[in-house]
Amino acid sequence: MSPIRQGAREAIWILLAASVLGFSYTFITQRGHFAPPPTATPLPTTAGEVPPMMIGVQEAQELFQSGTALFVDSRHEFDYKLGHIKGAVNIPLKDFGTRMDVLAKLPRDRTLVTYCDGAECNSSIELASRLHMAGFSGVKIFFEGWNVWKSLNLPTEAAQ
């Protein structure tokens, strides 16, 4: 047998053994591919508080038309300036700690509706959670977000 062929055969056996060991390890430790699915942990609440709930475009539109809710855009400032739900304030998730002054004047029971781009973006969920933990009790998540709002030609504006 030629040395090249012998080396290739040994490399294949080493690769096969490493794969079996890797899969065995992840199976035993239940990590990686074999990890159990994550479980949703409810947000900590005190008696009577309702954690942030997801709403659809119809409910978001009703809240917008009633004027009772403040929409909070969790996207980056650049995206917000290009266009956002009319009247929305911008609190990018990464700037949450430094932008609370925007909400400091609001009553803690005011309905806040967080949103981002849509289903491919989770910053609206994280921002809603942080607002809830900061004491806002009427937080809702418009998970369909900006892309759906814009596609339905609902009221929008761009920053000047």
Side-chain angles (χ1 to χ4, degrees):
M1 182 177 299
S2 73
I4 294 176
R5 193 169 183 186
Q6 178 68 26
R9 183 175 287 173
E10 288 175 6
I12 290 172
W13 279 109
I14 290 171
L15 183 62
L16 182 63
S19 296
V20 168
L21 286 173
F23 275 111
S24 298
Y25 174 77
T26 57
F27 179 75
I28 291 168
T29 60
Q30 293 190 345
R31 293 184 182 180
H33 182 68
F34 298 103
T39 57
T41 54
L43 294 171
T45 60
T46 59
E49 282 189 15
V50 177
M53 296 179 59
M54 302 250 186
I55 62 170
V57 68
Q58 184 175 352
E59 188 175 346
Q61 187 176 8
E62 290 169 4
L63 287 167
F64 178 84
Q65 289 173 343
S66 72
T68 58
L70 175 64
F71 283 75
V72 183
D73 190 325
S74 66
R75 299 176 302 151
H76 296 286
E77 186 176 3
F78 177 79
D79 295 324
Y80 173 81
K81 286 182 177 180
L82 290 175
H84 54 270
I85 294 174
K86 188 172 184 173
V89 296
N90 183 225
I91 302 181
L93 180 60
K94 67 179 183 64
D95 298 335
F96 178 76
T98 59
R99 299 288 299 271
M100 280 301 291
D101 60 318
V102 174
L103 301 173
K105 301 170 193 116
L106 295 175
R108 295 290 178 181
D109 60 347
R110 172 92 189 256
T111 300
L112 302 177
V113 179
T114 64
Y115 73 93
C116 57
D117 284 326
E120 65 279 352
C121 172
N122 290 320
S123 65
S124 60
I125 297 170
E126 180 64 28
L127 181 62
S129 175
R130 289 184 186 185
L131 288 168
H132 180 74
M133 288 189 281
F136 289 92
S137 60
V139 182
K140 299 183 182 289
I141 305 161
F142 174 40
F143 191 63
E144 293 168 294
W146 169 246
N147 292 335
V148 169
W149 187 272
K150 190 170 93 173
S151 73
L152 294 173
N153 294 319
L154 296 172
T156 64
E157 63 186 0
Q160 314 288 336

PDB file of all heavy atoms in Angstrom, residues 80-118:
ATOM      1  N   TYR A  80     -34.438  54.296  12.623  1.00  0.00           N
ATOM      2  CA  TYR A  80     -35.542  55.136  13.107  1.00  0.00           C
ATOM      3  C   TYR A  80     -35.658  56.404  12.272  1.00  0.00           C
ATOM      4  O   TYR A  80     -36.759  56.815  11.895  1.00  0.00           O
ATOM      5  CB  TYR A  80     -35.317  55.473  14.583  1.00  0.00           C
ATOM      6  CG  TYR A  80     -36.289  56.468  15.158  1.00  0.00           C
ATOM      7  CD1 TYR A  80     -37.548  56.071  15.579  1.00  0.00           C
ATOM      8  CD2 TYR A  80     -35.941  57.812  15.296  1.00  0.00           C
ATOM      9  CE1 TYR A  80     -38.450  56.992  16.122  1.00  0.00           C
ATOM     10  CE2 TYR A  80     -36.831  58.730  15.834  1.00  0.00           C
ATOM     11  CZ  TYR A  80     -38.083  58.316  16.243  1.00  0.00           C
ATOM     12  OH  TYR A  80     -38.966  59.220  16.767  1.00  0.00           O
ATOM     13  N   LYS A  81     -34.526  57.033  11.983  1.00  0.00           N
ATOM     14  CA  LYS A  81     -34.547  58.277  11.221  1.00  0.00           C
ATOM     15  C   LYS A  81     -35.022  58.066   9.789  1.00  0.00           C
ATOM     16  O   LYS A  81     -35.620  58.953   9.191  1.00  0.00           O
ATOM     17  CB  LYS A  81     -33.167  58.934  11.232  1.00  0.00           C
ATOM     18  CG  LYS A  81     -32.837  59.576  12.555  1.00  0.00           C
ATOM     19  CD  LYS A  81     -31.485  60.252  12.529  1.00  0.00           C
ATOM     20  CE  LYS A  81     -31.211  60.951  13.853  1.00  0.00           C
ATOM     21  NZ  LYS A  81     -29.906  61.621  13.852  1.00  0.00           N
ATOM     22  N   LEU A  82     -34.775  56.882   9.240  1.00  0.00           N
ATOM     23  CA  LEU A  82     -35.241  56.593   7.881  1.00  0.00           C
ATOM     24  C   LEU A  82     -36.755  56.469   7.824  1.00  0.00           C
ATOM     25  O   LEU A  82     -37.375  56.751   6.805  1.00  0.00           O
ATOM     26  CB  LEU A  82     -34.599  55.310   7.355  1.00  0.00           C
ATOM     27  CG  LEU A  82     -33.111  55.382   7.050  1.00  0.00           C
ATOM     28  CD1 LEU A  82     -32.586  54.013   6.646  1.00  0.00           C
ATOM     29  CD2 LEU A  82     -32.833  56.404   5.957  1.00  0.00           C
ATOM     30  N   GLY A  83     -37.357  56.021   8.900  1.00  0.00           N
ATOM     31  CA  GLY A  83     -38.803  55.902   8.957  1.00  0.00           C
ATOM     32  C   GLY A  83     -39.235  55.122  10.180  1.00  0.00           C
ATOM     33  O   GLY A  83     -38.538  54.198  10.609  1.00  0.00           O
ATOM     34  N   HIS A  84     -40.373  55.519  10.760  1.00  0.00           N
ATOM     35  CA  HIS A  84     -40.888  54.866  11.962  1.00  0.00           C
ATOM     36  C   HIS A  84     -42.387  55.105  12.062  1.00  0.00           C
ATOM     37  O   HIS A  84     -42.952  55.903  11.309  1.00  0.00           O
ATOM     38  CB  HIS A  84     -40.173  55.379  13.217  1.00  0.00           C
ATOM     39  CG  HIS A  84     -40.206  56.867  13.359  1.00  0.00           C
ATOM     40  ND1 HIS A  84     -39.228  57.676  12.827  1.00  0.00           N
ATOM     41  CD2 HIS A  84     -41.109  57.696  13.937  1.00  0.00           C
ATOM     42  CE1 HIS A  84     -39.517  58.943  13.095  1.00  0.00           C
ATOM     43  NE2 HIS A  84     -40.666  58.986  13.768  1.00  0.00           N
ATOM     44  N   ILE A  85     -43.028  54.402  12.980  1.00  0.00           N
ATOM     45  CA  ILE A  85     -44.440  54.602  13.224  1.00  0.00           C
ATOM     46  C   ILE A  85     -44.630  56.038  13.699  1.00  0.00           C
ATOM     47  O   ILE A  85     -43.873  56.529  14.552  1.00  0.00           O
ATOM     48  CB  ILE A  85     -44.968  53.584  14.257  1.00  0.00           C
ATOM     49  CG1 ILE A  85     -44.896  52.168  13.670  1.00  0.00           C
ATOM     50  CG2 ILE A  85     -46.393  53.929  14.684  1.00  0.00           C
ATOM     51  CD1 ILE A  85     -45.256  51.060  14.643  1.00  0.00           C
ATOM     52  N   LYS A  86     -45.617  56.700  13.138  1.00  0.00           N
ATOM     53  CA  LYS A  86     -45.843  58.116  13.440  1.00  0.00           C
ATOM     54  C   LYS A  86     -45.999  58.330  14.948  1.00  0.00           C
ATOM     55  O   LYS A  86     -46.779  57.657  15.609  1.00  0.00           O
ATOM     56  CB  LYS A  86     -47.088  58.617  12.719  1.00  0.00           C
ATOM     57  CG  LYS A  86     -47.283  60.101  12.829  1.00  0.00           C
ATOM     58  CD  LYS A  86     -48.401  60.580  11.950  1.00  0.00           C
ATOM     59  CE  LYS A  86     -48.463  62.098  12.041  1.00  0.00           C
ATOM     60  NZ  LYS A  86     -49.409  62.643  11.103  1.00  0.00           N
ATOM     61  N   GLY A  87     -45.206  59.262  15.475  1.00  0.00           N
ATOM     62  CA  GLY A  87     -45.264  59.601  16.897  1.00  0.00           C
ATOM     63  C   GLY A  87     -44.427  58.724  17.803  1.00  0.00           C
ATOM     64  O   GLY A  87     -44.360  58.963  19.010  1.00  0.00           O
ATOM     65  N   ALA A  88     -43.778  57.707  17.254  1.00  0.00           N
ATOM     66  CA  ALA A  88     -42.974  56.796  18.079  1.00  0.00           C
ATOM     67  C   ALA A  88     -41.717  57.495  18.586  1.00  0.00           C
ATOM     68  O   ALA A  88     -41.178  58.397  17.938  1.00  0.00           O
ATOM     69  CB  ALA A  88     -42.571  55.563  17.268  1.00  0.00           C
ATOM     70  N   VAL A  89     -41.277  57.067  19.765  1.00  0.00           N
ATOM     71  CA  VAL A  89     -39.993  57.528  20.291  1.00  0.00           C
ATOM     72  C   VAL A  89     -38.973  56.428  20.050  1.00  0.00           C
ATOM     73  O   VAL A  89     -39.329  55.256  19.934  1.00  0.00           O
ATOM     74  CB  VAL A  89     -40.071  57.890  21.796  1.00  0.00           C
ATOM     75  CG1 VAL A  89     -41.007  59.045  22.027  1.00  0.00           C
ATOM     76  CG2 VAL A  89     -40.466  56.687  22.625  1.00  0.00           C
ATOM     77  N   ASN A  90     -37.732  56.807  19.976  1.00  0.00           N
ATOM     78  CA  ASN A  90     -36.664  55.848  19.697  1.00  0.00           C
ATOM     79  C   ASN A  90     -35.842  55.589  20.951  1.00  0.00           C
ATOM     80  O   ASN A  90     -35.236  56.510  21.503  1.00  0.00           O
ATOM     81  CB  ASN A  90     -35.773  56.391  18.576  1.00  0.00           C
ATOM     82  CG  ASN A  90     -34.681  55.429  18.164  1.00  0.00           C
ATOM     83  OD1 ASN A  90     -33.543  55.826  17.995  1.00  0.00           O
ATOM     84  ND2 ASN A  90     -35.006  54.180  17.971  1.00  0.00           N
ATOM     85  N   ILE A  91     -35.861  54.354  21.403  1.00  0.00           N
ATOM     86  CA  ILE A  91     -34.989  53.915  22.488  1.00  0.00           C
ATOM     87  C   ILE A  91     -34.324  52.627  22.017  1.00  0.00           C
ATOM     88  O   ILE A  91     -34.840  51.531  22.223  1.00  0.00           O
ATOM     89  CB  ILE A  91     -35.756  53.676  23.803  1.00  0.00           C
ATOM     90  CG1 ILE A  91     -36.481  54.940  24.225  1.00  0.00           C
ATOM     91  CG2 ILE A  91     -34.807  53.197  24.894  1.00  0.00           C
ATOM     92  CD1 ILE A  91     -37.244  54.836  25.510  1.00  0.00           C
ATOM     93  N   PRO A  92     -33.179  52.752  21.324  1.00  0.00           N
ATOM     94  CA  PRO A  92     -32.485  51.548  20.882  1.00  0.00           C
ATOM     95  C   PRO A  92     -32.124  50.684  22.089  1.00  0.00           C
ATOM     96  O   PRO A  92     -31.760  51.207  23.147  1.00  0.00           O
ATOM     97  CB  PRO A  92     -31.228  52.082  20.196  1.00  0.00           C
ATOM     98  CG  PRO A  92     -31.550  53.500  19.844  1.00  0.00           C
ATOM     99  CD  PRO A  92     -32.483  53.965  20.917  1.00  0.00           C
ATOM    100  N   LEU A  93     -32.256  49.407  21.933  1.00  0.00           N
ATOM    101  CA  LEU A  93     -32.002  48.487  23.035  1.00  0.00           C
ATOM    102  C   LEU A  93     -30.628  48.725  23.646  1.00  0.00           C
ATOM    103  O   LEU A  93     -30.484  48.754  24.870  1.00  0.00           O
ATOM    104  CB  LEU A  93     -32.139  47.040  22.549  1.00  0.00           C
ATOM    105  CG  LEU A  93     -31.913  45.960  23.589  1.00  0.00           C
ATOM    106  CD1 LEU A  93     -32.906  46.092  24.729  1.00  0.00           C
ATOM    107  CD2 LEU A  93     -32.028  44.595  22.949  1.00  0.00           C
ATOM    108  N   LYS A  94     -29.621  48.941  22.808  1.00  0.00           N
ATOM    109  CA  LYS A  94     -28.258  49.117  23.327  1.00  0.00           C
ATOM    110  C   LYS A  94     -28.101  50.408  24.137  1.00  0.00           C
ATOM    111  O   LYS A  94     -27.203  50.532  24.938  1.00  0.00           O
ATOM    112  CB  LYS A  94     -27.233  49.071  22.188  1.00  0.00           C
ATOM    113  CG  LYS A  94     -27.322  50.231  21.228  1.00  0.00           C
ATOM    114  CD  LYS A  94     -26.256  50.137  20.141  1.00  0.00           C
ATOM    115  CE  LYS A  94     -26.272  51.302  19.216  1.00  0.00           C
ATOM    116  NZ  LYS A  94     -25.960  52.577  19.788  1.00  0.00           N
ATOM    117  N   ASP A  95     -29.017  51.365  23.942  1.00  0.00           N
ATOM    118  CA  ASP A  95     -28.950  52.643  24.648  1.00  0.00           C
ATOM    119  C   ASP A  95     -29.975  52.747  25.770  1.00  0.00           C
ATOM    120  O   ASP A  95     -30.243  53.846  26.268  1.00  0.00           O
ATOM    121  CB  ASP A  95     -29.186  53.802  23.668  1.00  0.00           C
ATOM    122  CG  ASP A  95     -28.129  53.870  22.584  1.00  0.00           C
ATOM    123  OD1 ASP A  95     -27.014  53.376  22.813  1.00  0.00           O
ATOM    124  OD2 ASP A  95     -28.425  54.419  21.508  1.00  0.00           O
ATOM    125  N   PHE A  96     -30.552  51.639  26.184  1.00  0.00           N
ATOM    126  CA  PHE A  96     -31.643  51.659  27.154  1.00  0.00           C
ATOM    127  C   PHE A  96     -31.280  52.434  28.416  1.00  0.00           C
ATOM    128  O   PHE A  96     -32.038  53.286  28.863  1.00  0.00           O
ATOM    129  CB  PHE A  96     -32.057  50.231  27.521  1.00  0.00           C
ATOM    130  CG  PHE A  96     -33.136  50.173  28.553  1.00  0.00           C
ATOM    131  CD1 PHE A  96     -34.444  50.452  28.213  1.00  0.00           C
ATOM    132  CD2 PHE A  96     -32.850  49.847  29.873  1.00  0.00           C
ATOM    133  CE1 PHE A  96     -35.451  50.411  29.162  1.00  0.00           C
ATOM    134  CE2 PHE A  96     -33.857  49.802  30.825  1.00  0.00           C
ATOM    135  CZ  PHE A  96     -35.160  50.087  30.468  1.00  0.00           C
ATOM    136  N   GLY A  97     -30.135  52.178  28.985  1.00  0.00           N
ATOM    137  CA  GLY A  97     -29.738  52.823  30.238  1.00  0.00           C
ATOM    138  C   GLY A  97     -29.565  54.326  30.128  1.00  0.00           C
ATOM    139  O   GLY A  97     -29.821  55.059  31.084  1.00  0.00           O
ATOM    140  N   THR A  98     -29.176  54.806  28.966  1.00  0.00           N
ATOM    141  CA  THR A  98     -28.928  56.235  28.803  1.00  0.00           C
ATOM    142  C   THR A  98     -30.119  56.990  28.221  1.00  0.00           C
ATOM    143  O   THR A  98     -30.101  58.207  28.186  1.00  0.00           O
ATOM    144  CB  THR A  98     -27.705  56.474  27.885  1.00  0.00           C
ATOM    145  OG1 THR A  98     -27.963  55.881  26.609  1.00  0.00           O
ATOM    146  CG2 THR A  98     -26.458  55.871  28.497  1.00  0.00           C
ATOM    147  N   ARG A  99     -31.152  56.277  27.770  1.00  0.00           N
ATOM    148  CA  ARG A  99     -32.295  56.927  27.131  1.00  0.00           C
ATOM    149  C   ARG A  99     -33.575  56.888  27.968  1.00  0.00           C
ATOM    150  O   ARG A  99     -34.648  57.220  27.493  1.00  0.00           O
ATOM    151  CB  ARG A  99     -32.583  56.273  25.770  1.00  0.00           C
ATOM    152  CG  ARG A  99     -31.464  56.354  24.765  1.00  0.00           C
ATOM    153  CD  ARG A  99     -31.235  57.731  24.193  1.00  0.00           C
ATOM    154  NE  ARG A  99     -32.345  58.282  23.481  1.00  0.00           N
ATOM    155  CZ  ARG A  99     -32.566  58.112  22.185  1.00  0.00           C
ATOM    156  NH1 ARG A  99     -31.741  57.403  21.455  1.00  0.00           N
ATOM    157  NH2 ARG A  99     -33.614  58.664  21.624  1.00  0.00           N
ATOM    158  N   MET A 100     -33.466  56.469  29.210  1.00  0.00           N
ATOM    159  CA  MET A 100     -34.645  56.398  30.058  1.00  0.00           C
ATOM    160  C   MET A 100     -35.236  57.780  30.332  1.00  0.00           C
ATOM    161  O   MET A 100     -36.391  57.888  30.723  1.00  0.00           O
ATOM    162  CB  MET A 100     -34.336  55.685  31.371  1.00  0.00           C
ATOM    163  CG  MET A 100     -34.312  54.169  31.252  1.00  0.00           C
ATOM    164  SD  MET A 100     -35.858  53.482  30.674  1.00  0.00           S
ATOM    165  CE  MET A 100     -36.919  53.788  32.073  1.00  0.00           C
ATOM    166  N   ASP A 101     -34.462  58.843  30.099  1.00  0.00           N
ATOM    167  CA  ASP A 101     -34.998  60.190  30.296  1.00  0.00           C
ATOM    168  C   ASP A 101     -36.211  60.441  29.416  1.00  0.00           C
ATOM    169  O   ASP A 101     -37.101  61.212  29.768  1.00  0.00           O
ATOM    170  CB  ASP A 101     -33.906  61.232  30.028  1.00  0.00           C
ATOM    171  CG  ASP A 101     -33.367  61.153  28.603  1.00  0.00           C
ATOM    172  OD1 ASP A 101     -33.150  60.023  28.111  1.00  0.00           O
ATOM    173  OD2 ASP A 101     -33.165  62.214  27.990  1.00  0.00           O
ATOM    174  N   VAL A 102     -36.271  59.758  28.279  1.00  0.00           N
ATOM    175  CA  VAL A 102     -37.404  59.901  27.367  1.00  0.00           C
ATOM    176  C   VAL A 102     -38.693  59.439  28.039  1.00  0.00           C
ATOM    177  O   VAL A 102     -39.753  60.034  27.870  1.00  0.00           O
ATOM    178  CB  VAL A 102     -37.154  59.084  26.071  1.00  0.00           C
ATOM    179  CG1 VAL A 102     -38.370  59.100  25.169  1.00  0.00           C
ATOM    180  CG2 VAL A 102     -35.930  59.609  25.344  1.00  0.00           C
ATOM    181  N   LEU A 103     -38.594  58.386  28.847  1.00  0.00           N
ATOM    182  CA  LEU A 103     -39.775  57.810  29.488  1.00  0.00           C
ATOM    183  C   LEU A 103     -39.967  58.243  30.935  1.00  0.00           C
ATOM    184  O   LEU A 103     -40.995  57.947  31.536  1.00  0.00           O
ATOM    185  CB  LEU A 103     -39.686  56.282  29.424  1.00  0.00           C
ATOM    186  CG  LEU A 103     -39.601  55.683  28.023  1.00  0.00           C
ATOM    187  CD1 LEU A 103     -39.341  54.205  28.093  1.00  0.00           C
ATOM    188  CD2 LEU A 103     -40.857  55.976  27.240  1.00  0.00           C
ATOM    189  N   ALA A 104     -38.996  58.934  31.482  1.00  0.00           N
ATOM    190  CA  ALA A 104     -39.052  59.285  32.907  1.00  0.00           C
ATOM    191  C   ALA A 104     -40.276  60.132  33.268  1.00  0.00           C
ATOM    192  O   ALA A 104     -40.775  60.050  34.382  1.00  0.00           O
ATOM    193  CB  ALA A 104     -37.777  60.014  33.318  1.00  0.00           C
ATOM    194  N   LYS A 105     -40.766  60.912  32.317  1.00  0.00           N
ATOM    195  CA  LYS A 105     -41.897  61.803  32.585  1.00  0.00           C
ATOM    196  C   LYS A 105     -43.253  61.109  32.425  1.00  0.00           C
ATOM    197  O   LYS A 105     -44.281  61.687  32.733  1.00  0.00           O
ATOM    198  CB  LYS A 105     -41.824  62.992  31.646  1.00  0.00           C
ATOM    199  CG  LYS A 105     -40.534  63.777  31.784  1.00  0.00           C
ATOM    200  CD  LYS A 105     -40.393  64.798  30.667  1.00  0.00           C
ATOM    201  CE  LYS A 105     -38.996  65.340  30.646  1.00  0.00           C
ATOM    202  NZ  LYS A 105     -38.257  65.034  29.457  1.00  0.00           N
ATOM    203  N   LEU A 106     -43.236  59.888  31.916  1.00  0.00           N
ATOM    204  CA  LEU A 106     -44.495  59.182  31.653  1.00  0.00           C
ATOM    205  C   LEU A 106     -45.005  58.456  32.892  1.00  0.00           C
ATOM    206  O   LEU A 106     -44.218  57.956  33.694  1.00  0.00           O
ATOM    207  CB  LEU A 106     -44.298  58.143  30.548  1.00  0.00           C
ATOM    208  CG  LEU A 106     -43.958  58.671  29.163  1.00  0.00           C
ATOM    209  CD1 LEU A 106     -43.690  57.509  28.232  1.00  0.00           C
ATOM    210  CD2 LEU A 106     -45.083  59.524  28.631  1.00  0.00           C
ATOM    211  N   PRO A 107     -46.331  58.374  33.037  1.00  0.00           N
ATOM    212  CA  PRO A 107     -46.871  57.559  34.130  1.00  0.00           C
ATOM    213  C   PRO A 107     -46.495  56.094  33.917  1.00  0.00           C
ATOM    214  O   PRO A 107     -46.456  55.618  32.788  1.00  0.00           O
ATOM    215  CB  PRO A 107     -48.384  57.758  34.027  1.00  0.00           C
ATOM    216  CG  PRO A 107     -48.641  58.626  32.860  1.00  0.00           C
ATOM    217  CD  PRO A 107     -47.347  59.008  32.232  1.00  0.00           C
ATOM    218  N   ARG A 108     -46.202  55.405  34.990  1.00  0.00           N
ATOM    219  CA  ARG A 108     -45.752  54.009  34.899  1.00  0.00           C
ATOM    220  C   ARG A 108     -46.825  53.062  34.372  1.00  0.00           C
ATOM    221  O   ARG A 108     -46.519  51.963  33.968  1.00  0.00           O
ATOM    222  CB  ARG A 108     -45.260  53.512  36.265  1.00  0.00           C
ATOM    223  CG  ARG A 108     -44.032  54.231  36.770  1.00  0.00           C
ATOM    224  CD  ARG A 108     -42.849  53.854  35.956  1.00  0.00           C
ATOM    225  NE  ARG A 108     -41.667  54.582  36.408  1.00  0.00           N
ATOM    226  CZ  ARG A 108     -40.496  54.444  35.848  1.00  0.00           C
ATOM    227  NH1 ARG A 108     -40.335  53.635  34.860  1.00  0.00           N
ATOM    228  NH2 ARG A 108     -39.476  55.135  36.284  1.00  0.00           N
ATOM    229  N   ASP A 109     -48.081  53.499  34.371  1.00  0.00           N
ATOM    230  CA  ASP A 109     -49.145  52.635  33.868  1.00  0.00           C
ATOM    231  C   ASP A 109     -49.542  52.981  32.426  1.00  0.00           C
ATOM    232  O   ASP A 109     -50.490  52.428  31.895  1.00  0.00           O
ATOM    233  CB  ASP A 109     -50.366  52.672  34.783  1.00  0.00           C
ATOM    234  CG  ASP A 109     -50.960  54.070  34.914  1.00  0.00           C
ATOM    235  OD1 ASP A 109     -50.298  55.049  34.497  1.00  0.00           O
ATOM    236  OD2 ASP A 109     -52.076  54.178  35.437  1.00  0.00           O
ATOM    237  N   ARG A 110     -48.813  53.882  31.771  1.00  0.00           N
ATOM    238  CA  ARG A 110     -49.074  54.235  30.373  1.00  0.00           C
ATOM    239  C   ARG A 110     -48.798  53.024  29.497  1.00  0.00           C
ATOM    240  O   ARG A 110     -47.835  52.287  29.695  1.00  0.00           O
ATOM    241  CB  ARG A 110     -48.171  55.397  29.954  1.00  0.00           C
ATOM    242  CG  ARG A 110     -48.186  55.747  28.482  1.00  0.00           C
ATOM    243  CD  ARG A 110     -49.205  56.810  28.165  1.00  0.00           C
ATOM    244  NE  ARG A 110     -49.405  57.024  26.747  1.00  0.00           N
ATOM    245  CZ  ARG A 110     -48.926  58.048  26.062  1.00  0.00           C
ATOM    246  NH1 ARG A 110     -48.191  58.955  26.662  1.00  0.00           N
ATOM    247  NH2 ARG A 110     -49.204  58.173  24.775  1.00  0.00           N
ATOM    248  N   THR A 111     -49.643  52.805  28.510  1.00  0.00           N
ATOM    249  CA  THR A 111     -49.433  51.703  27.584  1.00  0.00           C
ATOM    250  C   THR A 111     -48.275  52.045  26.660  1.00  0.00           C
ATOM    251  O   THR A 111     -48.292  53.069  25.983  1.00  0.00           O
ATOM    252  CB  THR A 111     -50.706  51.426  26.754  1.00  0.00           C
ATOM    253  OG1 THR A 111     -51.769  51.103  27.646  1.00  0.00           O
ATOM    254  CG2 THR A 111     -50.485  50.274  25.793  1.00  0.00           C
ATOM    255  N   LEU A 112     -47.268  51.190  26.661  1.00  0.00           N
ATOM    256  CA  LEU A 112     -46.111  51.324  25.780  1.00  0.00           C
ATOM    257  C   LEU A 112     -46.112  50.140  24.830  1.00  0.00           C
ATOM    258  O   LEU A 112     -46.275  48.993  25.264  1.00  0.00           O
ATOM    259  CB  LEU A 112     -44.808  51.340  26.575  1.00  0.00           C
ATOM    260  CG  LEU A 112     -44.656  52.434  27.637  1.00  0.00           C
ATOM    261  CD1 LEU A 112     -43.345  52.264  28.385  1.00  0.00           C
ATOM    262  CD2 LEU A 112     -44.729  53.809  27.005  1.00  0.00           C
ATOM    263  N   VAL A 113     -45.923  50.391  23.550  1.00  0.00           N
ATOM    264  CA  VAL A 113     -45.882  49.331  22.551  1.00  0.00           C
ATOM    265  C   VAL A 113     -44.494  49.346  21.925  1.00  0.00           C
ATOM    266  O   VAL A 113     -44.131  50.293  21.231  1.00  0.00           O
ATOM    267  CB  VAL A 113     -46.964  49.527  21.470  1.00  0.00           C
ATOM    268  CG1 VAL A 113     -46.880  48.408  20.431  1.00  0.00           C
ATOM    269  CG2 VAL A 113     -48.348  49.578  22.098  1.00  0.00           C
ATOM    270  N   THR A 114     -43.714  48.307  22.202  1.00  0.00           N
ATOM    271  CA  THR A 114     -42.371  48.217  21.629  1.00  0.00           C
ATOM    272  C   THR A 114     -42.440  47.501  20.289  1.00  0.00           C
ATOM    273  O   THR A 114     -43.272  46.618  20.086  1.00  0.00           O
ATOM    274  CB  THR A 114     -41.399  47.467  22.562  1.00  0.00           C
ATOM    275  OG1 THR A 114     -41.837  46.128  22.711  1.00  0.00           O
ATOM    276  CG2 THR A 114     -41.302  48.144  23.913  1.00  0.00           C
ATOM    277  N   TYR A 115     -41.556  47.899  19.382  1.00  0.00           N
ATOM    278  CA  TYR A 115     -41.479  47.222  18.085  1.00  0.00           C
ATOM    279  C   TYR A 115     -40.078  47.372  17.518  1.00  0.00           C
ATOM    280  O   TYR A 115     -39.313  48.248  17.926  1.00  0.00           O
ATOM    281  CB  TYR A 115     -42.531  47.770  17.106  1.00  0.00           C
ATOM    282  CG  TYR A 115     -42.232  49.151  16.567  1.00  0.00           C
ATOM    283  CD1 TYR A 115     -41.547  49.317  15.365  1.00  0.00           C
ATOM    284  CD2 TYR A 115     -42.624  50.286  17.260  1.00  0.00           C
ATOM    285  CE1 TYR A 115     -41.274  50.580  14.876  1.00  0.00           C
ATOM    286  CE2 TYR A 115     -42.360  51.553  16.778  1.00  0.00           C
ATOM    287  CZ  TYR A 115     -41.682  51.701  15.576  1.00  0.00           C
ATOM    288  OH  TYR A 115     -41.398  52.941  15.094  1.00  0.00           O
ATOM    289  N   CYS A 116     -39.745  46.495  16.588  1.00  0.00           N
ATOM    290  CA  CYS A 116     -38.518  46.609  15.805  1.00  0.00           C
ATOM    291  C   CYS A 116     -38.883  46.252  14.368  1.00  0.00           C
ATOM    292  O   CYS A 116     -40.007  46.500  13.946  1.00  0.00           O
ATOM    293  CB  CYS A 116     -37.380  45.767  16.389  1.00  0.00           C
ATOM    294  SG  CYS A 116     -37.725  44.019  16.570  1.00  0.00           S
ATOM    295  N   ASP A 117     -37.979  45.649  13.615  1.00  0.00           N
ATOM    296  CA  ASP A 117     -38.257  45.374  12.206  1.00  0.00           C
ATOM    297  C   ASP A 117     -39.350  44.334  11.990  1.00  0.00           C
ATOM    298  O   ASP A 117     -40.091  44.387  11.040  1.00  0.00           O
ATOM    299  CB  ASP A 117     -36.989  44.922  11.480  1.00  0.00           C
ATOM    300  CG  ASP A 117     -36.065  46.090  11.208  1.00  0.00           C
ATOM    301  OD1 ASP A 117     -36.561  47.199  10.962  1.00  0.00           O
ATOM    302  OD2 ASP A 117     -34.841  45.898  11.235  1.00  0.00           O
ATOM    303  N   GLY A 118     -39.413  43.349  12.849  1.00  0.00           N
ATOM    304  CA  GLY A 118     -40.407  42.291  12.673  1.00  0.00           C
ATOM    305  C   GLY A 118     -39.909  40.984  13.245  1.00  0.00           C
ATOM    306  O   GLY A 118     -39.083  40.968  14.159  1.00  0.00           O
TER     307      GLY A 118
END
